Amino acid sequence: EVQLVESGGASVHTGGSLKLSCTASGFTFDDTDMGWYRQAPGHDCEVISSILRDGRTFYPSAAQGRFTASRDNAKKMLYLQMNDVKPEDTAVYYCAAAPHKTEGPYCSGSLMADAWGQGTQVTVSS
């Protein structure tokens, strides 16, 4: 059974840092592209980073320069380092396996990726 479990979500102040983690199991992690998505209340689900099986990363403009995705294939772990966070970063963050699309009406359970975690809440206050 494919499982993705996020952790690390918290409440932080503007300008702070946070590191999210995702533990993967049940599939060949090192042969799978991975992604981080987020969904804020009243907004679509959006990709916030993609990290390919070879380690290459891609970010939308909202995350470029502030967020860094990484992976440890030996530990089957995915990470998202979030720096200089802003109130607009407040959202539920999801780890996803084999992302296909960058945006959609909802994250978890959608066809935008092959598998999803349950999400972890990040709240940024000013």
Side-chain angles (χ1 to χ4, degrees):
E1 179 187 4
V2 174
Q3 281 197 321
L4 297 169
V5 180
E6 303 94 337
S7 62
S11 295
V12 295
H13 290 295
T14 299
S17 296
L18 200 61
K19 187 172 185 177
L20 307 182
S21 300
C22 173
T23 303
S25 62
F27 63 102
T28 309
F29 181 78
D30 58 0
D31 198 32
T32 303
D33 299 336
M34 299 295 293
W36 285 100
Y37 289 77
R38 69 184 183 187
Q39 186 157 28
H43 290 77
D44 281 352
C45 173
E46 61 177 350
V47 70
I48 207 66
S49 77
S50 298
I51 180 165
L52 305 187
R53 64 200 73 183
D54 63 6
R56 285 180 293 157
T57 53
F58 300 90
Y59 305 94
S61 57
Q64 188 72 44
R66 298 189 300 123
F67 294 0
T68 303
S70 61
R71 62 192 296 162
D72 184 331
N73 288 340
K75 295 182 178 179
K76 297 185 179 181
M77 294 288 296
L78 185 71
Y79 304 100
L80 182 69
Q81 177 67 46
M82 304 170 61
N83 296 329
D84 189 25
V85 295
K86 305 174 181 180
E88 52 263 41
D89 294 322
T90 295
V92 179
Y93 284 72
Y94 297 88
C95 168
H100 308 307
K101 295 182 64 176
T102 60
E103 189 171 346
Y106 62 94
C107 290
S108 186
S110 80
L111 297 179
M112 292 168 58
D114 282 1
W116 297 87
Q118 83 288 350
T120 188
Q121 177 70 47
V122 173
T123 302
V124 183
S125 58
S126 57

